[in-house]
Amino acid sequence: MISLIKNKPGRYIIEQMRIVLVNPNPMKPPVTPVSLDYLGAACRHAGIDVDLVDCAVEPDWRKKLSDVLTEEPILVGVTLRNIDDSYFASQDFSLLRAIPVLETIKHLTDAPICVGGVGFSIFPSEVLKFCDVYYGICGDGEESLVKLAAALSDNIELDTVPGLVRMENGNVKHNATVPFSLEKIDLTSRSLIDNPYYFKNGGQVGFESKRGCSLKCIYCPEPFIKGKNERLRPPQHVAKELTHLHDRGITVFHTCDCEFNWPHSHAFQVSRAIIDSGLGNKIRWYAYCSPEYFSDELADVMRRAGCVGIDFGADHGDNNMLHRLGHRYNSDDLTRIRDICRRHDIICMYDLILGSPGETKKSIETAIRLMKKVKPDRVGISLGVRLYPMTPLGRQILETSKGTLSRNPSLFGALENNESFLRPIYYCDIRSGEDVEDWLHSIVGDDPRFLLGRRTQANPDYNYNDNPDLTEAIKSGHRGAYWDILRRVSDGIPPLFQIKS
Ligand code: B12
């Protein structure tokens, strides 16, 4: 995209427009900033040049920033994926770790900074103020980033930029978001970020088959940030994207959809497109799925497309708690889907969220007993629910706490001046008992299937935020979903593929 840039008062020069995109995520193992590949594709499609500074990859990100910012771009886009690690045992406020990167950019250039990303989209006003930047984009970034760049260069009214959040005279102004149709631009090239680096050091590479979620889980921010209706990518685009990545030597993937199997028909079509592209025997992938919409037929086609592992958002094993959490499935479904996975040679993990309102030791015991009976390959336990203000659960807690978070004995984490919930805050129902953490560890026992942390232990266990065991395992050749890598290391199973280093 060519734009008129003011050179001297009254004089303009024609310049090729350029954006610098930055990933400040320092967590190890490094996780693919898929967003920047898609944003890069959208910018290039619009004729805008893009430079990347990926702080997770660069040996000296300060130098790289200084090199690419020698000349002023039209804007610097920074992706903010994680506000915190959503892990009760560590409660890391990860946003703080992006601040040195943002400060360095401010020091090096006068170009405007625009932040975006799923973390930002959950807390737009708060993050804008916390990071002291003027612009942010809520929700999908592809069209908005291009429109913002064009608006800034040609002095067009900023109200035309969908999802733009901006500081104006000390107030935050929000434009409405307009969900982007995923078939509009070909996002399949995946050529901005160093995906082979992420495969080698992060163990897998992410891909999306859709955006948005129409499920109604009471604690989840997904429908509010990605949209309440699913927007589907053409299945052939997904297969084409995986082919491009496979051509660069990447063989193991993880879906970035909240639930791959919903809508069921789309999951079928995507899996069939992967089979038709000839990748089914060449790649391996893992998916997040819901227990509700999982069938033998789908497991069959997913397995033939290369899916080897599923992380089910089971959430609980007690029927009353499943109902309270907003689910329509029950404990029988959890038994049923385990059997389906066994029949199709797909390993599975069940993720549990314990401690939400109504939890008691009895309901926790029911869930653990069911897990021990059903025997998923792994059970990931989050004790304590991360609260988000726009969710039904978050709203309920805000209404009942009435400005006195610290007086609610079921709340943990940052309770002072944190009504926005920006800093890590968790609900763990007091009715489950003050000793619930130790008690839970005692009923789980030394069963290696269970992954769970403890606030009093430094061992990160199920936390993928700076997990040295995981980083070491990937270095030694393991690839795959992190729970499967941890399983393989703990059970002495060789890596998924023997990878030549
Ligand atoms: C898949 C996934 C994983 C996989 C990643 C696999 C892989 N190889 O990619 C795994 C399992 C490894 C994982 C790990 C973790 N995850 Co995770 N993960 C996700 C998930 C489902 C998708 C992320 C993704 O890549 N999406 C696809 C891209 C394209 O979407 P996007 O990043 O949102 O980008 C779009 C827009 O946001 C915007 N945008 C993005 N950046 C920018 C920048 C600019 C300038 C602009 C304009 C726009 C823009 O445009 C993009 C395209 O439209 C999200 C939830 C979600 N639906 O996003 C959680 C999520 C990001 N994870 C989360 C967490 C907490 C973690 C962990 C910290 C958990 C832990 N304690 O171990 C780790 C951190 C790992 C790390 N090193 O960063 C939380 C973060 C919440 C928070 N409070 O901060 C989320 C939101 C889930 C949740 N609801 O709790 N995760």
Side-chain angles (χ1 to χ4, degrees), residues 88-89 361 383 428 432-443 452-457:
F88 188 52
K361 279 188 173 156
L383 174 70
C428 189
S432 54
E434 277 176 22
D435 62 339
V436 63
E437 210 170 8
D438 291 339
W439 172 82
L440 175 60
H441 277 262
S442 75
I443 63 163
L452 71 161
R454 202 185 215 149
R455 279 176 296 169
T456 49
Q457 270 173 4

Side-chain angles (χ1 to χ4, degrees), residues 197-263:
Y197 173 92
Y198 281 98
F199 180 48
K200 187 170 175 215
N201 298 284
Q204 18 75 18
V205 162
F207 70 101
E208 260 187 335
S209 89
K210 63 170 173 296
R211 288 183 193 159
C213 184
S214 58
L215 300 180
K216 297 201 163 51
C217 313
I218 60 163
Y219 55 84
C220 182
E222 192 86 17
F224 304 92
I225 49 176
K226 298 270 171 181
K228 291 183 178 146
N229 297 308
E230 289 82 10
R231 285 168 291 132
L232 312 178
R233 289 187 78 190
Q236 290 70 21
H237 281 203
V238 180
K240 189 171 155 197
E241 178 169 319
L242 291 172
T243 305
H244 287 151
L245 291 164
H246 180 257
D247 290 346
R248 278 174 251 151
I250 296 156
T251 49
V252 183
F253 299 91
H254 199 297
T255 60
C256 292
D257 309 9
C258 53
E259 311 287 9
F260 177 76
N261 56 327
W262 179 247

Side-chain angles (χ1 to χ4, degrees), residues 66 119 121 152 157 186 218 253 284 337 350 354 375 392 397:
S66 146
S121 303
L152 289 174
E157 193 40 66
D186 185 345
I218 60 163
F253 299 91
R284 295 289 174 263
I337 58 173
Y350 285 7
L354 304 178
K375 293 191 172 41
I397 302 303

Side-chain angles (χ1 to χ4, degrees), residues 25 79 81 83-85 141-142 204 222 226 388 463-464:
N25 187 353
T79 184
R81 179 191 193 278
I83 295 299
D84 62 297
D85 61 6
E142 286 86 350
Q204 18 75 18
E222 192 86 17
K226 298 270 171 181
Y388 296 106
N463 196 354
Y464 306 149

